[in-house]
Amino acid sequence: MTGPHGNVDSSFSGTAREVVQARDVRGGIHFHAPAADRAAPPVPRQLPAAGRGFVDRCAERAALDRLLDDTAGARVLLVTGTAGVGKTSLVLHWSHTVRDRFPDGQLYADLHGYDPQAPAAYERVLEGFLLALGAPADTIHADGEYMAAAFRSRLAGRRLLLVLDNAAGVAQVRPLLPGTPGCLAIVTSRHRLPGLTIREGARRLTLDVLDRDGSVALVQGVVSGYRDGDDPAQVAELASLCAHLPLALKIAAERAAGRPLMRLADLIGELRDASGRWEALSADGDEESEAVRSVFTWSYRALPQDAARFFRLLGLHPGADFSDTAAAALAGVDARTARRLLDVLVSAHMAEQTASDRFRLHDLLRAYAADQAGLQEAPQEREEALRRVLTWYLHTADAVQARVAPQEPRVALVPAGAGPPAPPFADAAQAMRWYEAERDNLVAAVRAAASGGLDRIAWQLAVVLRAVYMTNNPFRDWLTTSLTGLEAARRDGDRGAQAELHESLGMAYAQSQDLTAAAEHYESALALRRELRDTFGEALTLNGLGLLELRRRNLDRAQAALEGGRALFAALDDRFWEPRVAVNLAEVELELGHPRNTAGPLRRGIEAFRARGDRRAEGNALRLLAAAELDSGHADAALAHAEEAVAIATEIRSAATEAYWLLTLGDAQRATGQPARAQDSYRRAAALQEDLGDRARQAAAWDGFGQACLQLGRAAEAADCHRRAAETFRDLRLPWETARTLAHLGLALDRLPAPREAADARARALRLLTEFADPRALRLRDSLVGHSPPGHTPP
């Protein structure tokens, strides 16, 4: 802006990505970002097909139209009603008609609120939504509130339609709701969910059963072309026996269409007879429940014998949906037979096809199938069926590990059951696609194995899944399966398995920032490894424990653990793990303030990683080598290594590594007299970390940006950045990072000058440094005591 004397006074603060600085502006201003930054966000199209047999509920659809057009601008529509009344069918049909009003896409999630297994966790749904919206995989965080905030940020300024189907309660839904206008969430539930109407201002539509005419129209629509001469009065009687519930009506109508030569009166008589069997099984005795169960029995009895057995065994499947191959494993048949039997069930409306090779049962049908399995299958047959499908999941997950993480230790698996073999995967991408499709089923499989007395399968599946979890950090799944598997391993008396699962939990807790719990599990794993004289396992555990202690800044303990692990790997002549541990040890040496001790191990590690084509490990070693060169005063060499590391991060498309390694690049740019370029690096790092949800590294980017500002002579802006970073580090209870940032704040305040605030910042930093005794901390403390600028302390 122009000051009172005609001079131009410009300032910039924060993490804006595009800034124009000019005195006079004429015409339009256009920003042309690099091609990678210009890429449009993905437009998800997740709405499932609306399905067959829908009766056009004109009044209800008109009501939804009015709610959508309401000038009050409700962001949440709630559709409630009893089980089987057609809530999902109505919402999906209507959503497809209005999707053009939401050009940024549609998101869909079945929350399984009334499934026999546990309802879907909102954290799991958030993970899927974030990835569908183009968020990096590294955005996934252990903290559900963190992901909910990231999700709302992704929705800001966009127009999306969200369908949240089968909600169990408000707590399951609330974190999934948009925070700003423009998006619409439609929730279906059997409950009224008053919390959504009170707090979120949701508008409710309660769906009733079909009227007589609608019921008759639905039945006639299904049987049309098969039996068109039925007496309308008898069709109405059939509808009445189905309590006018669309789910029951579809099944009954399909049954009638399949027997076109049989009089409808005889079919109605069969349906009346079927109701008697359900009197003993009906818990609530209400008309609608009894009617739908009667229809199930009627249709089930009409299935061919092999299809009926197949249907009831599907009630034992651990998850809500399943592939045709998993169904084949469950029934102990080949894949072709399974697909034929699934076609029979889909034709009878006893199962629903959701993709070319995937199917599901309505939760009422699933409960009915499980009841029939309990009544008609011997306990041994039920256990064998469960064992078959669980071992199929185990062996297929092991095939995923072989592609995704072949270097990880393998488990001697229990023998595979009858049925189709585990599918071969051509590459890691294909393996991960299978994992994503079966992810919920895998968690359910571990639980089902543990609760079904199949402890060895439970812990083996938990161990195998760790290799996949390490790549994308689905913390909720990781902790659930590992804790369940650990208890199963204890019951099974397998101490080696217990060690594996303690280590898995150590990794999961460490990466989700629960460092105290991580330390407890690593120590337990280490004790078991040593007891079992498992040298390779002990070395792995020492490496993990060393990295944990490095994160906690217990540098002497980190060094001792990593040195022990490296020595064991060297004795085993393990050329994969030894250079990795050596690089981790070099990072400890760097933190101890010994950069000269790091160059050799880092360069050897880089050579080893290049020979194996391990680009991520190579980039990390280059990042550390750049930091070591900075500490040694070789700024130009540091810059070259940091630029190479960031180029690798871009090549492998890892937002997390790019965001982290940009911090070292910014440090090198500052050291080579390029503070403006350093600001660009820190600014991009901060923006990426905001998307990733890593507040600590975002604060490190602000701190670096502040140092660049000071180098450019903008002390007030530098102080603001350092204050913001220090507050974040303090909130996260990171004393070392807080102390370093307060030291930088003191330097900025010296330039303002603000002597009292500068002295206070240094005093707070000194208090925090009392718990650290390593050489780098001592040098920082000495610089603060003497009020002299501290030596280089990279983030």
Side-chain angles (χ1 to χ4, degrees):
M1 62 181 177
T2 304
H5 303 292
N7 59 306
V8 177
D9 179 16
S10 305
S11 63
F12 165 76
S13 63
T15 58
R17 293 175 183 168
E18 295 90 14
V19 177
V20 170
Q21 177 174 305
R23 192 191 68 172
D24 300 314
V25 177
R26 295 182 178 85
I29 297 296
H30 304 278
F31 294 104
H32 298 282
D37 291 339
R38 276 204 312 271
V43 179
R45 304 289 187 190
Q46 295 187 347
L47 283 182
R52 299 181 294 138
F54 178 72
V55 173
D56 193 0
R57 290 181 179 255
C58 297
E60 290 84 352
R61 292 175 65 166
L64 289 172
D65 288 338
R66 288 194 298 272
L67 292 174
L68 180 61
D69 295 331
D70 191 341
T71 55
R75 290 182 293 107
V76 183
L77 301 182
L78 174 60
V79 178
T80 64
T82 191
V85 79
K87 299 181 293 296
T88 299
S89 183
L90 169 67
V91 165
L92 288 180
H93 274 86
W94 181 78
S95 295
H96 278 287
T97 66
V98 301
R99 63 184 179 183
D100 290 343
R101 298 178 62 171
F102 300 93
D104 294 315
Q106 311 96 38
L107 296 170
Y108 173 86
D110 186 344
L111 302 181
H112 299 295
Y114 307 95
D115 194 86
Q117 301 292 331
Y122 78 83
E123 296 94 338
R124 172 68 182 88
V125 178
L126 280 172
E127 292 177 24
F129 282 176
L130 284 168
L131 295 176
L133 292 171
D138 312 87
T139 310
I140 306 310
H141 200 277
D143 187 342
E145 292 183 7
Y146 228 62
M147 287 194 292
F151 177 60
R152 289 191 293 271
S153 296
R154 288 263 162 186
L155 293 184
R158 301 177 72 178
R159 294 186 60 81
L160 280 101
L161 177 66
L162 293 80
V163 177
L164 306 174
D165 204 9
N166 295 315
V170 174
Q172 189 187 26
V173 171
R174 187 165 280 141
L176 306 173
L177 299 179
T180 55
C183 296
L184 174 68
I186 310 175
V187 181
T188 73
S189 179
R190 294 178 197 171
H191 298 312
R192 292 177 57 80
L193 305 185
L196 284 185
T197 58
I198 296 170
R199 180 169 163 182
E200 273 71 30
R203 307 297 296 274
R204 182 191 293 117
L205 173 67
T206 300
L207 200 60
D208 203 349
V209 297
L210 293 173
D211 59 17
R212 180 184 182 281
D213 291 342
S215 299
V216 170
L218 190 155
V219 173
Q220 289 177 333
V222 174
V223 304
S224 178
Y226 296 95
R227 47 184 313 129
D228 295 328
D230 288 328
D231 181 353
Q234 288 185 331
V235 175
E237 184 180 0
L238 177 66
S240 178
L241 286 171
C242 295
H244 302 288
L245 276 170
L247 175 63
L249 287 164
K250 290 177 186 178
I251 295 173
E254 193 65 52
R255 174 88 173 94
R259 305 181 72 178
L261 300 180
M262 189 172 182
R263 294 187 313 148
L264 189 59
D266 294 335
L267 290 170
I268 291 172
E270 281 189 3
L271 178 54
R272 288 189 184 278
D273 291 341
S275 64
R277 178 161 186 172
W278 270 103
E279 291 177 0
L281 296 175
S282 179
D284 45 25
D286 63 90
E287 179 187 359
E288 292 163 352
S289 176
E290 249 182 65
V292 75
R293 289 167 175 171
S294 297
V295 171
F296 289 171
T297 301
W298 182 52
S299 187
Y300 169 72
R301 285 177 173 176
L303 291 173
Q305 186 175 354
D306 56 352
R309 174 182 177 271
F310 193 78
F311 171 75
R312 60 180 178 262
L313 290 181
L314 289 176
L316 304 177
H317 186 269
D321 75 326
F322 47 87
S323 68
D324 49 8
T325 316
L330 179 68
V333 299
D334 59 70
R336 178 177 295 182
T337 300
R339 283 191 285 269
R340 176 180 62 80
L341 295 173
L342 284 165
D343 286 343
V344 173
L345 297 180
V346 170
S347 296
H349 281 289
M350 299 291 279
E352 177 186 355
Q353 187 166 9
T354 58
S356 61
D357 63 344
R358 298 198 71 81
F359 301 82
R360 67 183 292 271
L361 303 185
H362 188 285
D363 53 15
L364 295 178
L365 278 165
R366 190 174 172 208
Y368 177 81
D371 284 338
Q372 289 303 305
L375 288 169
Q376 299 188 44
E377 299 289 335
Q380 183 178 352
E381 291 297 323
R382 295 198 301 271
E383 181 179 327
E384 285 302 315
L386 185 61
R387 185 189 301 274
R388 284 192 299 266
V389 73
L390 294 179
T391 54
W392 181 82
Y393 275 119
L394 172 61
H395 282 260
T396 311
D398 182 68
V400 173
Q401 178 188 342
R403 285 296 184 185
V404 173
Q407 76 283 358
E408 288 297 311
R410 305 295 289 278
V411 178
L413 304 180
V414 299
F425 296 112
D427 51 32
Q430 186 186 35
M432 286 302 293
R433 284 195 294 273
W434 180 88
Y435 160 74
E436 288 295 341
E438 299 289 355
R439 177 176 163 182
D440 291 339
N441 286 335
L442 290 165
V443 177
V446 175
R447 286 175 168 151
S451 61
L454 303 173
D455 286 329
R456 183 152 300 186
I457 295 175
W459 69 252
Q460 287 191 350
L461 186 51
V463 170
V464 167
L465 287 170
R466 178 185 66 185
V468 181
Y469 294 155
M470 289 164 54
T471 65
N472 55 2
N473 289 342
F475 293 116
R476 186 181 183 89
D477 294 357
W478 193 350
L479 293 172
T480 297
T481 56
S482 296
L483 288 167
T484 304
L486 179 59
E487 290 303 314
R490 286 172 175 159
R491 289 191 298 268
D492 196 36
D494 193 313
R495 297 181 69 74
Q498 292 172 45
E500 291 284 352
L501 288 158
H502 275 300
E503 179 153 340
S504 183
L505 286 163
M507 297 171 65
Y509 280 120
Q511 290 178 219
S512 60
Q513 301 297 323
D514 189 343
L515 304 187
T516 301
E520 292 173 357
H521 284 287
Y522 270 126
E523 293 291 354
S524 296
L526 186 61
L528 285 166
R529 302 284 201 199
R530 287 172 172 166
E531 174 190 325
L532 297 169
R533 299 184 180 180
D534 176 5
T535 304
F536 179 80
E538 180 183 352
L540 281 178
T541 302
L542 284 169
N543 179 60
L545 184 59
L547 291 173
L548 173 66
E549 296 297 356
L550 173 61
R551 186 176 296 192
R552 300 169 83 187
R553 203 168 180 80
N554 296 326
L555 299 182
D556 290 340
R557 295 182 64 181
Q559 187 176 44
L562 290 169
E563 284 178 343
R566 184 181 62 172
L568 291 176
F569 280 129
L572 293 169
D573 194 26
D574 190 311
R575 299 181 184 181
F576 179 88
W577 282 104
E578 192 276 335
R580 279 167 167 72
V581 182
V583 166
N584 294 337
L585 189 55
E587 185 168 6
V588 177
E589 291 281 0
L590 190 60
E591 286 300 311
L592 285 166
H594 305 149
R596 291 186 180 86
N597 297 346
T598 65
L602 290 173
R603 293 185 188 279
R604 287 192 295 273
I606 290 168
E607 290 176 5
F609 303 144
R610 282 177 179 164
R612 289 182 173 271
D614 192 337
R615 299 290 276 165
R616 186 185 296 266
E618 178 189 349
N620 183 57
L622 284 165
R623 189 260 313 176
L624 290 170
L625 186 57
E629 297 285 17
L630 279 177
D631 269 10
S632 301
H634 305 144
D636 290 336
L639 180 61
H641 295 317
E643 288 176 338
E644 191 174 357
V646 172
I648 289 174
T650 304
E651 172 196 323
I652 64 177
R653 299 183 179 182
S654 171
T657 54
E658 181 186 0
Y660 188 31
W661 299 348
L662 276 167
L663 300 177
T664 304
L665 178 59
D667 295 342
Q669 288 165 332
R670 284 194 297 107
T672 52
Q674 304 175 75
R677 289 187 64 193
Q679 283 188 321
D680 291 339
S681 296
Y682 293 130
R683 186 183 296 119
R684 175 158 176 77
L688 287 172
Q689 296 294 5
E690 183 173 11
D691 285 342
L692 294 168
D694 193 326
R695 295 179 63 206
R697 288 180 178 170
Q698 185 181 28
W702 294 333
D703 185 45
F705 192 91
Q707 292 177 82
C709 287
L710 189 62
Q711 204 168 341
L712 289 166
R714 303 205 297 268
E717 188 177 346
D720 288 342
C721 290
H722 294 316
R723 288 190 191 99
R724 187 179 185 186
E727 288 173 4
T728 300
F729 285 137
R730 183 194 62 200
D731 291 345
L732 295 174
R733 298 180 181 178
L734 297 172
W736 168 249
E737 290 80 359
T738 307
R740 291 176 60 256
T741 305
L742 288 170
H744 300 152
L745 175 60
L747 291 175
L749 294 169
D750 286 339
R751 298 275 189 93
L752 286 179
R756 287 189 178 180
E757 191 178 353
D760 177 67
R762 292 190 174 96
R764 285 188 287 150
L766 284 168
R767 286 195 294 272
L768 292 169
L769 289 171
T770 56
E771 62 181 275
F772 302 107
D774 59 89
R776 188 184 292 272
L778 293 176
R779 286 201 297 270
L780 179 58
R781 187 172 64 188
D782 290 343
S783 71
L784 290 168
V785 171
H787 290 191
S788 59
H792 176 74
T793 51

